[in-house]
Amino acid sequence: MELPFLKKKKQEEPRILTPPPDARPMAAPKERGRLLARTKPEAPIVEYDPSVHGSLVDRVLPEEYDMIEQYWVDEGCSQVNIVFNRRTKQEEYILYEPTLTPFEYELIERVFEDLRDVLILTDAEIDEDKRILLFRKMEGLFEEYGIELEPIPLFKLRYFLIRNFIGWSRIEPLMKDPNIEDISCDGNEVPIFLYHRKFRNIRTNIRFDEEALISLAIKLAQRSGKHVSIGNPMIDATLPDGSRLQLTLGKEVTTRGTSFTIRKFREEPFTPIELMEHHTFNPEALVYFWFAIENNKSLIFIGGTASGKTTSLNAVSLFITPLAKVISIEDTREVTLYHDNWIASVTRESVAEAGATIDMFALLKSAMRQRPEYILVGEVRGKEAQTLFQAMNTGHTTFSTMHAGSVDAAIHRLESEPLNVPRNMLQALNIISIQALIYQGTARVRRCQEIVEVIGIDPSTGNLRVNNVFTYDPVRDLLNYTGRSQVYASITEKRGWTREQLDAEIEVRKRLLIAMHEQRIRDYKSVSRIFQSYYIDAGSVMDHLDDLRQAIV
């Protein structure tokens, strides 16, 4: 049986070899599945190489756009152009991918349809590379169609095959773009908006019709291990790469259609060295956190949305001593530690009518029975706050985050509904770090605004007494040490140190942080191992200060 669409395109596409007159009939779908399961082309797969084969993207910039910046997300296959639209007077994010001819588009649609019938894996194929396996299955279909493609059309079809079967469809380049923090889809036929690290909120040239958007939403939910339906149209989930997903299906809740927001997180979390390089903290503040965590002081990072609370919490958690037992409690997984003795727990919604919902309060109560030395809570927003502060008052070291703009706002929120933490219990909290997303010139940056110690309750007024340890100077973009610290005073007293001994140890740790920065040791595994090595044998680490990689155990 000849393929009608191949005959129709024969003259338009001379690069495609049409089936010979005696081509064998195409197998029925079920027979085709058995055929491809037992046949495996021996010829090696020729991979696309942009330096050899050239770009697959044909970029034509409309006249009303002025180019600002361009970069490859996937070299040769997906290119980002940041442009200025002279008509709207706004910057836009234009994504270019390979352009398919009508024939190539029709062919890839046929391949997508037929692959659903033939994608039956043998035992030997289960462990095979997914990309190579899909390439072979597609080439098997081409063999049945009786056609052969030249390299460039073949590479373009492979790109879309991988993007749609293994990737995230049209948002796959956005998921790969390291400059993007948030991806926001607001409804049917509405442009996707991004939060770009350099250009901030920006509109894209990507939009979905209703059917394609629902299909993508279901894929996002299923790969996150969640179920979404008209009966349960809203979900919060974590994507396989660790990004946070909030999704609403259809028009049940969001009247413009299916919507989703993806908050992307790096595969490897930020380290204290990177936060120092980004000027979120300076070396003195990081050494302060190091001492506080080593000496079991509890702390909370507060700030607004996207102010870097969880990022800072994750970074300073690398200062935890090597063998200490750590339990993290979160709604969605964000905390990542290079730590063996660590239990990472997440909440769970009920999976059936009779199933139990496991919330943060239940996880926190369970954690208390596991004798942890450190408890990390992703964010306190409900009744778990009382249990968290009970844990502090019973001697457990706890770290957490909370939405609040200032120390006063944080205290008022803790004491009010629904948290209802008694003021007397707030005394167990040692440190509050205030984070903010601010403007530095035209750029938006994350800075620590203040680090405050909770001293106790004033007996005459009943108010909490606090001490400012570090304050931010926005004019010089510096975080300054005030010279007063109750935490440092407590450490010197408990260890029997003099102030000179404390200052000497502070200086040693500052030198270590600066050496890591100068030697470009910033990935979280190497940074964690150096901190752990310092706890085990500080002298050996400092002996290798000129080449710290030799000190990693």
Side-chain angles (χ1 to χ4, degrees), residues 252-295:
E252 302 299 311
V253 179
T254 48
T255 57
R256 301 174 77 186
T258 298
S259 66
F260 62 81
T261 300
I262 298 173
R263 294 191 61 188
K264 291 176 59 182
F265 294 97
R266 302 198 320 175
E267 292 184 10
E268 292 195 354
F270 280 92
T271 63
I273 309 304
E274 290 178 293
L275 295 187
M276 184 175 71
E277 293 172 345
H278 286 87
H279 304 289
T280 302
F281 298 103
N282 60 13
E284 290 81 5
L286 291 173
V287 170
Y288 173 79
F289 282 125
W290 190 348
F291 269 107
I293 290 168
E294 180 183 338
N295 290 274

Side-chain angles (χ1 to χ4, degrees), residues 99-116:
T99 303
L100 297 177
T101 65
F103 174 74
E104 291 165 351
Y105 180 81
E106 198 168 350
L107 180 58
I108 195 66
E109 287 290 309
R110 178 65 180 268
V111 168
F112 288 162
E113 180 181 347
D114 289 347
L115 272 178
R116 295 187 179 96

Side-chain angles (χ1 to χ4, degrees), residues 271-337:
T271 63
I273 309 304
E274 290 178 293
L275 295 187
M276 184 175 71
E277 293 172 345
H278 286 87
H279 304 289
T280 302
F281 298 103
N282 60 13
E284 290 81 5
L286 291 173
V287 170
Y288 173 79
F289 282 125
W290 190 348
F291 269 107
I293 290 168
E294 180 183 338
N295 290 274
N296 302 104
K297 305 299 182 184
S298 295
L299 58 95
I300 286 183
F301 290 92
I302 67 173
T305 301
S307 59
K309 301 183 298 295
T310 305
T311 298
S312 297
L313 171 67
N314 203 117
V316 302
S317 297
L318 300 185
F319 291 129
I320 292 174
T321 51
L323 300 179
K325 183 169 185 178
V326 182
I327 297 179
S328 62
I329 299 168
E330 303 172 271
D331 281 332
T332 54
R333 269 289 307 277
E334 294 178 20
V335 172
T336 302
L337 299 178

